[in-house]
Amino acid sequence: MLRPGGRGLLLGLAAAAAAAVAARLVGWWGPRAGSRLFTPGELARHRGGPGEPGLYLALLGRVYDVSSGRRHYEPGAPYSGFAGRDASRAFVTGDYSEAGLVDDVSDLSLSEMLTLQNWLSFYEKNYKFVGRVIGRFYGKDGLPTSELAQVEAMIPKGLEANKQELEEKKKFPPCNTEWSSARGSRFWCSQSSGGVSRDWTGVPRKLYKPGAKEPHCVCVRTTGPPSDPAPDNPTHRNRGDLDHPNVEEYTGCPPLATTCSFPL
């Protein structure tokens, strides 16, 4: 549970984290002494096969020596398709076909860009950076391209969207759910449903998110002031978020029941 001042602290920490990520990205993508430029053909000769000069892979145009993880990337290993190329897209999609092992990330979502940033952190921490590959993300001069600038701009936006999603999840934690062919569906709330620990239980409600095709089940506070009080109306009816305009009761479920069952 957030204590008084806790939400401001959380937002402050999130802003600090975003600033730290931005600073780290500048260090990653800016010039670095001793790094090498690879053409795609040169990089392709580093797949770890017999007689080849090394075992490298690229992520967002940055080349890493993954020889220390040879069992994962060498020919015949589970992730051998990543070796000798920039397959940034597959780190998110899991498509390890030749069509999927490509560097085009132009249509990825903000959350998927954050996943790429997490992978970049992993390789920076665990493997040696050796250079950049000329192509989509770096030019022949070794400088970032406009496509890399677009990726860089999306990551802070993804962090902000992620922060807002966490705040929304704290306000409306997902329900516990189960389904069986014998009993049908059941939704219920507890003080840890949806992975959100709190000091209230709540009741199941449909939450309609703008742009979403279908509602999903969330747990809604039943007492206290609303999470988003009207600035011109400081009084409240001690109903928590039950009157929120985006939530709706489940037909056939008692309004204050913590469990809603829907037999087949």
Side-chain angles (χ1 to χ4, degrees):
M1 176 189 179
L2 289 176
R3 302 299 179 188
R7 177 167 296 191
L9 176 62
L10 178 66
L11 297 180
L13 290 174
V21 167
R24 191 160 64 245
L25 292 177
V26 169
W28 288 345
W29 292 338
R32 187 180 292 189
S35 63
R36 173 183 170 186
L37 285 177
F38 295 81
T39 66
E42 289 171 337
L43 183 60
R45 294 197 291 271
H46 293 73
R47 297 184 186 271
E52 293 188 340
L55 181 55
Y56 297 170
L57 63 74
L59 177 60
L60 294 177
R62 297 178 57 76
V63 182
Y64 296 92
D65 182 342
V66 294
S67 301
S68 61
R70 176 171 293 275
R71 70 183 187 277
H72 301 298
Y73 304 105
E74 66 184 350
Y79 303 111
S80 60
F82 288 93
R85 70 174 95 196
D86 188 329
S88 296
R89 186 178 186 84
F91 281 94
V92 173
T93 65
D95 180 357
Y96 301 154
S97 68
E98 284 299 308
L101 290 164
V102 295
D103 61 358
D104 183 6
V105 299
S106 58
D107 62 342
L108 296 185
S109 68
L110 293 177
S111 62
E112 288 171 331
M113 286 297 185
L114 281 185
T115 299
L116 276 183
Q117 188 267 329
N118 290 335
W119 276 113
L120 197 59
S121 295
F122 171 81
Y123 283 98
E124 281 287 319
K125 179 180 178 181
N126 293 283
Y127 295 104
K128 181 182 178 181
F129 166 77
V130 293
R132 299 172 174 84
V133 59
I134 298 169
R136 186 180 297 273
F137 301 112
Y138 289 96
K140 293 181 179 180
D141 55 3
L143 295 177
T145 64
S146 59
E147 288 206 40
L148 185 57
Q150 291 173 11
V151 170
E152 183 180 11
M154 286 184 71
I155 289 176
K157 292 179 181 178
L159 288 169
E160 177 64 25
N162 188 55
K163 180 187 72 175
Q164 293 177 359
E165 183 177 342
L166 289 174
E167 284 292 291
E168 181 76 6
K169 192 174 181 180
K170 284 182 171 64
K171 182 167 66 176
F172 294 125
C175 302
N176 299 303
T177 64
E178 68 175 8
W179 180 88
S180 74
S181 58
R183 295 187 297 272
S185 300
R186 182 167 77 99
F187 304 137
W188 75 99
C189 295
S190 65
Q191 292 188 353
S192 60
S193 63
V196 179
S197 298
R198 54 196 187 273
D199 61 359
W200 52 273
T201 300
V203 296
R205 289 289 188 273
K206 298 176 186 179
L207 176 65
Y208 291 86
K209 287 189 174 182
K213 293 182 179 180
E214 298 290 338
H216 65 276
C217 185
V218 297
C219 296
V220 176
R221 279 191 309 111
T222 61
T223 60
S227 299
D228 302 311
D232 57 348
N233 184 15
T235 61
H236 63 85
R237 300 165 57 198
N238 195 35
R239 285 173 50 84
D241 290 312
L242 290 175
D243 298 319
H244 193 283
N246 293 345
V247 301
E248 181 181 295
E249 293 181 14
Y250 280 96
T251 302
C253 185
L256 295 182
T258 58
T259 298
C260 295
S261 297
F262 304 97
L264 293 176

